[in-house]
Amino acid sequence: MQWTADKVQEEIVTLLQPFNPKGIEITPETDLSADLYMDSVAAMNLVMEIEDRFEIDIPISLLPDVNNLQDLVEAVLAQLSKG
Amino acid sequence: MSLFDKYDQVAARHDRLLAAGRDPFNMCMDRIVSATEAIVDGRETILVGTNNYLGLTFDPDCVEATVEAVREQGTGTTGSRIANGTYASHRALEQAIAAFLGRSAAMVFPTGYQANLGVIAGLAGPKDTILLDSDSHASIYDGCRLSGATLIRFRHNSPADLDKRLERLKDDKASKLIIVEGIYSMLGDQAPLDEFVDVKRRHGVELLVDEAHSLGVFGDNGRGIAEAYDVEDDVDYVVGTFSKSLGAVGGFGASSNPEFEQLRFTSRPYMFTASSSPSSIATAMATLKKIQSEPQLRRQLWDNAEALYNGLKDLGFAICAETSPIIAVKLPSEEAAVFMWNALIEAGVYVNLALPPGTPDGSCLLRCSLSAAHTPAQVQKVCEVFDAARRALKEWEAAQSAAE
């Protein structure tokens, strides 16, 4: 299927729900660490869920540049474009 | 703005931990009495958290060999092997490790952590891809990062997930290295190494196995998980440590790849660190002989592991994996784990408190590691103290609820 940025974001927001027990509103600027209190292992586990959903690999060496939802969407789109 | 501001959250969590009792990550053993006992706060304490699997740290032959090495070779090497030279004892140990594992070469490192750094960052570079198990030890993650390679995690102990990822990479020309551990340090669960070997063969990539917790423990001859699964020929690189079953400090990498020893002049963690002291080398040499000459130590270790596993299971504790010399008891919350850990140490039992993010799946664990040197009476005492600590926990939780 052809993934658009909006559709990718919608899917990631769904995958983020288990990491958002307080149910805060998720926006492109939502910071994984500061707003969702995700530690490095939780962030890597989220990425694994995202990888399964989109059938891609996101090298963990890219994660230091991923801070918020928008960064995640861009990382997914970049990997999808390689496929 | 301070350099330490970034640690505010972690420091606050550490403060809360201290408010609940002792510091579980900075315990001072006032005096080490034996492989399984220490004096802590003036109290005789059974050590069930030291990874001293074969209990060789006070073995008279090993102590004697170590003392003799210090007398003959001195206290330290005062520098790196590339600058100060290799001692004959370094080389002899490397040959002994290679012979034991049936490999053509081995390299020793000052710690197990550095062995992973040196071997992984030596083998892989920025143009290569590493596929690592998601539950890998920090030293593997750090070695991977130091390598500059593209890092892809696969689901813990899942050959199917690894297979899927390698399939996606099939047109990628990068050299690829798979990294797994024989037995995982937190939960004590084993890698299904035969299945990983099937995947690696199918995709034609290389495999590194960290046998840190399995060397001396698994296999008829103590060579580790690869021996136990009869897949040693398919494991391209072995990493191990001296600081567990070998009762010393140090680590090694071993391989039959004829180019392996190029790491001696290409791997920065090998080249730019001080070499192992003669005492560490002598201890590892002596304990390696014991692993081979005293197989009954492994039987004792496994008997003790089964006794503690069954004892805690019969008491209704939740244990995370099948029987192994690592027995991780899962607690429902961080507060409960910290309370229990303090109750155990006050009753003379030292185990490891393991908390997220250092644990899989956010688990809060009381991690026990058995030794061949534990007596049945010590194992029985540990079970009794666990039971009493849990009763104290229930009383504390009831008091907390009543106060709210």
Side-chain angles (χ1 to χ4, degrees), chain A residues 4-25:
Chain A
T4 63
D6 284 350
K7 186 68 185 155
V8 166
Q9 179 169 313
E10 195 182 311
E11 292 291 330
I12 297 177
V13 168
T14 304
L15 294 171
L16 264 174
Q17 288 317 315
F19 299 89
N20 181 22
K22 291 184 180 163
I24 67 163
E25 188 191 352

Side-chain angles (χ1 to χ4, degrees), chain B residues 28-52:
Chain B
C28 180
M29 310 282 168
D30 300 327
R31 188 163 65 83
I32 302 294
V33 178
S34 70
T36 60
E37 298 160 292
I39 303 297
V40 179
D41 288 344
R43 189 183 299 113
E44 286 179 12
T45 300
I46 303 172
L47 302 175
V48 202
T50 59
N51 300 328
N52 194 351

Side-chain angles (χ1 to χ4, degrees), chain A residues 33-34 37 39-45 47-49 51-52 54-61 64, chain B residues 9 132 134 141 145 149-156 161 164-166 168-169 356-359 361:
Chain A
S33 169
Y37 302 104
D39 58 39
S40 55
V41 174
M44 287 195 292
N45 290 340
V47 165
M48 212 162 237
E49 299 295 331
E51 289 174 324
D52 279 353
F54 296 99
E55 297 180 349
I56 55 172
D57 295 298
I58 302 176
I60 57 172
S61 22
Chain B
Q9 277 188 28
L132 72 159
S134 58
Y141 275 98
R145 290 202 177 93
T150 297
L151 308 179
I152 294 176
R153 287 167 95 225
F154 57 88
R155 288 193 184 276
H156 175 54
D161 193 51
K164 185 176 73 182
R165 289 167 191 275
L166 279 166
R168 286 203 287 255
L169 291 169
T359 54
D361 304 324

Side-chain angles (χ1 to χ4, degrees), chain B residues 255-325:
Chain B
S255 177
S256 291
N257 186 324
E259 291 162 321
F260 184 65
E261 292 202 70
Q262 289 179 12
L263 299 191
R264 292 191 194 277
F265 52 88
T266 55
S267 172
R268 294 167 64 88
Y270 175 84
M271 295 163 68
F272 299 109
T273 190
S275 61
S276 302
S277 68
S279 61
S280 291
I281 295 293
T283 305
M285 184 66 118
T287 52
L288 186 63
K289 286 179 190 155
K290 290 275 174 181
I291 284 184
Q292 296 167 86
S293 64
E294 298 191 14
Q296 75 276 13
L297 291 174
R298 268 192 298 290
R299 285 195 292 275
Q300 286 167 21
L301 170 64
W302 280 95
D303 285 349
N304 286 336
E306 276 165 25
L308 185 63
Y309 181 91
N310 291 330
L312 293 176
K313 199 170 163 214
D314 290 348
L315 289 168
F317 284 99
I319 302 173
C320 297
E322 64 269 48
T323 312
S324 90

